[in-house]
Structure formats: C-alpha cells, structure tokens
Amino acid sequence: MNDILRFLQTRNSAPRLTAPAPAGAELEEIFRAALRAPDHAWLRPWRFITIAGERRAEFGRVLEHCLRLRQPDADAAALEKARNAPLRAPLLVAVVVALKEHPKVPPIEQRLSAACAAHAILLAAEALGYAGIWRTGASSFHRAVMDELGLAGNEELVGFVYLGSREGAPKNLPLLDTANFVSSW
Ligand SMILES: Cc1cc2nc3c(=O)[nH]c(=O)nc-3n(C[C@H](O)[C@H](O)[C@H](O)COP(=O)(O)O)c2cc1C
C-alpha cells in the first residue's frame, strides 16, 4: 500500500509522552505543515504558542487558578491534577484561532481551519517520529486561561497539542468499517 496512505490510516494519539520533543528545525517543519491547513480566503486565522520547560509548571499554576475560579470548592487532589496537567508532555502547543471579519468566511469555518492545523501538527510530529495528543478540557475554553496566554479579544483556544516521544507501545487501533460511515446520496 502507498506509504503515505498507510501513515494517514494509522495515526495514533499518545496519552503518555516523554522527552525528547521536537525542537528547532524539526519543530519549524511541523509548523510549516500546520500552515497548510485548508483556509477559506487565506485568512490565516490561526497562531500557535509553545509552552515548554519551566514554563509548563507556570502554566500549570494558571490551570490551577482557573479551576479555583470555576470550582471554588475544588479539593486538593483536583487542584494538584490541574497544576500537573502540562507536565504530561515535554512540549505543549496552544492552537489559537484568531477570528477575522469576512463576508464569506464565518467564525465556524475559521475554527474548523484551526482544527485542521492542529491535526496537521499531530501528523507532522508523527511523521518525524514523535507523538502527540490533542487535549482540551474546561480550562481551554475559559477566558482567564486565554488572557494569561496573551490572546486578544478576537482569539480563542482550539486546544492544546501535547507533543513528545511515545511512552509505551501504541494502542491497537480499532478496525472501523467505512460502510458504517459512508453512503451515497
Ligand atoms: C477537540 C478535541 C479535544 C480533545 N480533548 C481531549 C482531552 O481533553 N483529553 C483526552 O484524553 N483526549 C482528548 N481528545 C481525544 C484525543 O486527542 C484522541 O483523539 C483520543 O485519545 C483517541 O486517540 P486516537 O486519536 O489515536 O484515535 C480530544 C480530541 C479532540 C478532537
């Protein structure tokens, strides 16, 4: 089978990630792939923020603070979990949609384009031998987190792509039957 097709058909998220993460020229290649996301009217309605090293712990404090805002009665275990969440991978990429006014391109299309960019990051990382997983959660959609990351009023988080090297074996992929998802009209 065509190698590229096989690659696309077997992409596999990795919940457990460790060092190394892509950096330097390799990370640049990954972002170049993201910049080829389908994009109506070429609005380029996305940008990407990396969070690595010590900054992950600082970002964990932002997530903890956000949880306190959302759930003032959150217990110590929940707060610790939020604080440690960014430490689950050596590199996080916050995928941001920067919504633009356009007569033919509504916000939904721009969000979808940013989602495609996130997928491209996962694919490109895997193509380079790394692994990743797209994560969100309530904090991703909370303005306090967006403010801490420096997002403008017209910007939103689409999610976080956690990147690194796969820890453990890849999971077995389910064999889905295209017939259950495809019909002709
Ligand atoms: C928009 C979006 C948000 C997601 N958020 C989370 C999340 O917060 N936590 C999580 O474990 N998986 C999340 N996932 C699912 C994983 O990224 C992944 O797709 C899932 O573990 C299945 O693995 P697979 O991609 O290898 O099939 C999310 C996926 C999408 C598309």
Side-chain angles (χ1 to χ4, degrees), residues 11-13 133-137 158 171 173:
R11 183 206 62 77
N12 196 333
S13 302
I133 185 166
W134 182 342
R135 292 185 186 274
T136 52
V158 166
K171 62 183 171 295
L173 295 177

Side-chain angles (χ1 to χ4, degrees), residues 99-147:
L99 295 166
K100 317 254 162 88
E101 289 286 339
H102 191 282
K104 288 190 184 153
V105 189
I108 179 68
E109 292 194 3
Q110 300 178 47
R111 293 186 180 104
L112 292 170
S113 179
C116 290
H119 188 210
I121 290 173
L122 285 173
L123 288 169
E126 200 162 311
L128 287 169
Y130 297 97
I133 185 166
W134 182 342
R135 292 185 186 274
T136 52
S139 298
S140 305
F141 307 113
H142 200 286
R143 204 69 229 177
V145 173
M146 300 187 206
D147 288 346

Side-chain angles (χ1 to χ4, degrees), residues 17-23 26 90-91 129-131 163-166:
L17 293 159
T18 188
E26 287 190 316
L91 173 65
Y130 297 97
L163 292 175
S165 299
R166 186 185 297 275

